[in-house]
Amino acid sequence: GIATRGARNDKTGSMHPTVCLMCPADTPATEIFPQSADVEHLGGGDFAARKTHQRRHYRIVKCDGCGLVRSNPILDETTIGHLYEESAFSYGDISSLLAKTYLRAGRRALDTLPKEAAILDIGCGNGFLLKALYDQGWRNVYGFEPSSDAIRQAPPEIQPRIIPKMFTHAEAAEHAGQFDLIGFFHVLDHIIQPDQFLNDCLTMLKPGGFIYGVTHNLGSPVHKIFGERSVAYDVQHIYLYSQDTIQKLLHQLGYTDITTTPIANTFPLGYLAHMAPLPKFAKRLLQANPWGRWNLTLGVGNMAFIARKG
């Protein structure tokens, strides 16, 4: 997540091109949507976790070779890093629901891990999943999180286990071969160089260790129906995946035993209204009524992927 600023962000930098992760750099791409974000006036609020969708995104293109969707061009890495460091954390009451969803979808990996297994959550927010794992007996849990606001909200037993910084390539060598499972939940689509990130995860995993991620699934009916209004198309998101493209990428990088699965999330109806691309009157109606607190479990366009280091 990121902080809230309405005024011009003085740290806004220059724009840089992106390339396909799987095809030669000169492979052409077709524009899906033109840029809608005013990058000169982006602030921390535009990068906050679980913010109301504001339909601000970079130019969105789709690779003509492999079909991978990406933003192109994007702000420079330093500017993006500053925005994330300032971000506000606003998961609020849904943290426990998210933890249950991620634990349920990750059973294939978690059920194989002894309680002494070392687990890392990159972009762990307030440590809600680390807390859930800790309470289930996994005590060797750690996280990376750049948002100081998120870390302040972490439970006391989890807060010291969170490294207060952006995860970078330099961390991989320092933590080589240390982890049995590395998780990242709605993080991969924010990464500027996800191929390097996934290679870094390989470096940090023990032989046979797992990665476990959750991200938007562009192949889902939700994103196809809403199109540009989908929450997937956002200025925070650099690369966007379908089950097919994430499978291809992980295979190309050397991961084995890859599975991808659409997942269902559990959210209060009022929260779904808050996040959905609905008219304001509809949001207010759903949030103001008592049934806005009802929990619903349904597919909202997300997928889980699990893979192993061979």
Side-chain angles (χ1 to χ4, degrees):
I2 301 190
T4 50
R5 284 190 187 173
R8 178 189 176 95
N9 184 350
D10 292 333
K11 289 191 284 291
T12 296
S14 58
M15 301 292 285
H16 294 262
T18 60
V19 298
C20 182
L21 303 175
M22 295 183 281
C23 298
D26 60 353
T27 303
T30 300
E31 181 179 288
I32 300 175
F33 306 118
Q35 178 175 307
S36 65
D38 178 3
V39 295
E40 294 294 320
H41 292 83
L42 291 175
D46 294 291
F47 287 72
R50 303 285 163 173
K51 69 179 190 296
T52 301
H53 185 49
Q54 297 170 322
R55 305 184 193 177
R56 295 175 184 166
H57 57 76
Y58 300 112
R59 176 175 175 262
I60 307 295
V61 302
K62 182 176 182 179
C63 176
D64 292 349
C66 67
L68 181 65
V69 174
R70 70 183 193 269
S71 297
N72 185 42
I74 63 171
L75 282 168
D76 64 276
E77 186 170 2
T78 300
T79 299
I80 292 173
H82 285 317
L83 291 167
Y84 278 114
E85 288 165 4
E86 297 173 357
S87 63
F89 184 81
S90 55
Y91 278 32
D93 295 338
I94 68 163
S95 292
S96 61
L97 295 175
L98 286 171
K100 289 178 182 177
T101 296
Y102 297 163
L103 290 175
R104 182 173 63 245
R107 294 267 51 113
R108 181 196 146 212
L110 291 169
D111 286 349
T112 71
L113 297 181
K115 295 303 183 183
E116 63 269 19
I119 299 174
L120 177 67
D121 183 356
I122 300 177
C124 66
N126 69 347
F128 65 89
L129 185 60
L130 297 177
K131 169 65 171 170
L133 291 166
Y134 187 90
D135 289 346
Q136 291 195 11
W138 285 283
R139 299 302 172 92
N140 195 12
V141 296
Y142 304 93
F144 278 92
E145 175 54 50
S147 169
S148 57
D149 185 46
I151 296 171
R152 280 193 296 269
Q153 298 180 45
E157 65 270 39
I158 298 300
Q159 198 170 75
R161 299 168 178 271
I162 300 176
I163 302 167
K165 60 193 291 189
M166 292 279 286
F167 174 80
T168 66
H169 177 63
E171 310 294 336
E174 182 179 345
H175 300 284
Q178 292 186 7
F179 295 102
D180 297 280
L181 183 145
I182 299 174
F184 36 93
F185 306 96
H186 286 288
V187 165
L188 192 64
D189 41 8
H190 298 238
I191 301 292
I192 296 173
Q193 294 180 287
D195 49 351
Q196 178 178 288
F197 172 84
L198 290 166
N199 278 326
D200 288 341
C201 290
L202 276 174
T203 298
M204 294 189 294
L205 284 174
K206 298 176 183 179
F210 293 93
I211 59 164
Y212 166 33
V214 169
T215 190
H216 297 290
N217 174 16
L218 286 190
S220 74
V222 169
H223 298 304
K224 291 180 177 180
I225 290 168
F226 284 111
E228 189 179 8
R229 295 181 298 153
S230 160
V231 296
Y233 300 110
D234 187 90
V235 73
Q236 296 186 66
H237 299 153
I238 312 301
Y239 289 88
L240 291 163
Y241 308 89
S242 65
Q243 287 181 259
D244 180 58
T245 55
I246 193 65
Q247 179 99 16
K248 287 179 181 176
L249 177 61
L250 292 172
H251 178 75
Q252 184 169 301
L253 293 174
Y255 283 91
T256 63
D257 196 15
I258 304 163
T259 57
T260 65
T261 312
I263 63 172
N265 285 82
T266 301
F267 293 126
L269 180 58
Y271 176 79
L272 287 169
H274 167 73
M275 293 296 295
L278 297 173
K280 290 183 179 180
F281 78 88
K283 290 177 181 283
R284 287 194 295 266
L285 177 65
L286 291 169
Q287 291 172 318
N289 284 278
W291 26 275
R293 295 191 293 272
W294 294 351
N295 288 338
L296 296 179
T297 299
L298 70 166
V300 292
N302 295 326
M303 64 177 171
F305 55 91
I306 296 174
R308 301 190 78 162
K309 178 177 181 175

